[in-house]
Amino acid sequence: MNATDSVHSLVPSSTAVRAAHAIRDGVLSEVRKAVVGQDEALELMLCGLIAGGHILLEGVPGVAKTLMAKALSRGIGADFKRIQFTPDLMPADILGTSVFDLKSQAFVLVRGPIFTDLLLADEINRAPAKTQSALLEAMQERGVSLEGRHMALSPLFTVFATQNPVESEGTYPLPEAQLDRFLLKIEVGYPAPEEEDAILASVHRGFDAGDLARAGVGPAVTKDGILAARAALNEVNVEPPVLAYIRKLVAATRASGRIRLGAGPRASVHLLLASKALAALRGRSFVTPDDVRFLAGPVLKHRLLLSPDAELDGATPSEVLREVVQSVEVPR
């Protein structure tokens, strides 16, 4: 236990924060009926949802990215829609369009799949920039401009986007402006050997990833409960030294000679919100430096562009960010 924890361990959590912690246990318990392992990724997904941000899931095919998003949506009783991004996908396929109704002899607005609570943008980097940009306004403002009208989206609206890190043929790298809209980038890796054994045993017993109702995955909380958990973040305290630590970490990415483009102020805000959400989900009414360090990678690494020298050295954003984090003094 560090000094911050010892000082604050005597501070009781608020009722709202305890409710957020109960949501974490309940939702993850439901999701684990379908998903084996990936505990850190699942906690980060729920953290991003409570913080009100959008999440980019990166991993090779077959590591349960889609399954995790579908199971999480069932665990919170949310509406869920999926868009398979392809090179010929058009913005109207996401937002919707007006069609002529023969019965009424008038144009009728048909809403696209973006009008939902949780939207899975599967293989988002397979669509061209014009189509990807259709998500920008929705991700930033939770609303879209359609047929000359501004239409609000669900207050719970969250994008879970997936992409393959190794396949480049037929893909369009996400522009920096869109990457910056994602609160977290979560790397989803292979399961451990014992976890893969459990997956095989589950399938052998009849588990079907396409039938989560049969697996018993159900809502552990209502959508209003998730919105209440978001409101609980206002009750999570952040001491001035921890606020300064967040600023210094983000500023250090701009000062590093191995980084060509560092993280901006939006990254500072996202790191603060994610840290508060993580603290609430873990049952604490205060943020510790350990929360910030734990989230620095998922919040910051997708916003960095390495210098040519760092790229020639074969460095990765994760490695360079680790060096930056280690260079910033941790508050005591």
Side-chain angles (χ1 to χ4, degrees), residues 176-219:
E176 283 73 21
Q178 184 153 359
L179 280 173
D180 199 43
R181 262 43 174 211
F182 285 101
L183 176 79
L184 301 171
K185 178 182 177 183
I186 304 172
E187 294 180 351
V188 184
Y190 290 116
E194 60 275 12
E195 293 170 345
E196 197 160 2
D197 288 341
I199 292 171
L200 292 173
S202 178
V203 173
H204 177 63
R205 292 192 299 268
F207 171 74
D208 181 2
D211 190 357
L212 296 183
R214 183 183 173 190
V217 181

Side-chain angles (χ1 to χ4, degrees), residues 43-324:
E43 183 180 44
L44 286 171
M45 290 173 70
L46 191 54
C47 175
L49 182 64
I50 297 299
H54 306 285
I55 295 122
L56 179 62
L57 300 166
E58 184 175 89
V60 298
V63 291
K65 300 186 298 295
T66 300
L67 177 61
M68 286 193 294
K70 290 172 62 178
L72 183 60
S73 70
R74 287 189 64 87
I76 63 174
D79 296 328
F80 175 84
K81 291 181 181 177
R82 173 181 176 177
I83 303 174
Q84 189 66 45
F85 277 60
T86 57
D88 60 348
L89 189 73
M90 299 296 292
D93 297 323
I94 300 173
L95 305 179
T97 188
S98 291
V99 298
F100 188 75
D101 182 43
L102 293 176
K103 290 184 178 180
S104 64
Q105 292 294 298
F107 282 95
V108 177
L109 181 63
V110 177
R111 296 187 176 195
I114 201 168
F115 290 90
T116 187
D117 295 323
L118 268 62
L119 177 69
L120 177 63
D122 210 7
E123 296 187 284
I124 189 174
N125 57 338
R126 287 197 171 276
K130 179 180 179 181
T131 303
Q132 292 176 10
S133 65
L135 286 175
L136 284 178
E137 180 185 8
M139 292 173 67
Q140 183 63 27
E141 301 179 11
R142 284 193 167 82
V144 297
S145 298
L146 190 58
E147 303 292 336
R149 299 158 53 193
H150 181 80
M151 305 179 70
L153 297 174
S154 163
L156 197 61
F157 175 72
T158 304
V159 173
F160 287 94
T162 70
Q163 68 177 15
N164 186 334
V166 296
E167 191 171 9
S168 58
E169 185 176 352
T171 62
Y172 303 82
L174 297 183
E176 283 73 21
Q178 184 153 359
L179 280 173
D180 199 43
R181 262 43 174 211
F182 285 101
L183 176 79
L184 301 171
K185 178 182 177 183
I186 304 172
E187 294 180 351
V188 184
Y190 290 116
E194 60 275 12
E195 293 170 345
E196 197 160 2
D197 288 341
I199 292 171
L200 292 173
S202 178
V203 173
H204 177 63
R205 292 192 299 268
F207 171 74
D208 181 2
D211 190 357
L212 296 183
R214 183 183 173 190
V217 181
V221 64
T222 64
K223 292 187 285 187
D224 287 342
I226 296 295
L227 295 176
R230 287 183 179 177
L233 299 191
N234 293 326
E235 302 182 23
V236 177
N237 185 49
V238 186
E239 294 289 343
V242 179
L243 279 175
Y245 182 54
I246 291 173
R247 175 186 56 78
K248 290 176 183 178
L249 275 181
V250 176
T253 66
R254 307 169 201 157
S256 171
R258 289 164 63 80
I259 297 176
R260 175 162 54 94
L261 179 65
R266 182 184 284 122
S268 302
V269 173
H270 281 181
L271 184 53
L272 170 63
L273 293 175
S275 298
K276 294 177 73 171
L278 184 66
L281 288 172
R282 292 181 173 179
R284 281 184 281 104
S285 58
F286 57 92
V287 173
T288 70
D290 287 340
D291 295 328
V292 178
R293 288 173 66 90
F294 176 75
L295 290 163
V299 173
L300 298 178
K301 64 187 172 187
H302 60 288
R303 309 171 196 265
L304 309 179
L305 291 180
L306 300 186
S307 68
D309 288 343
E311 290 179 339
L312 285 174
D313 291 341
T316 65
S318 295
E319 292 170 347
V320 174
L321 181 60
R322 194 176 303 117
E323 296 171 3
V324 169

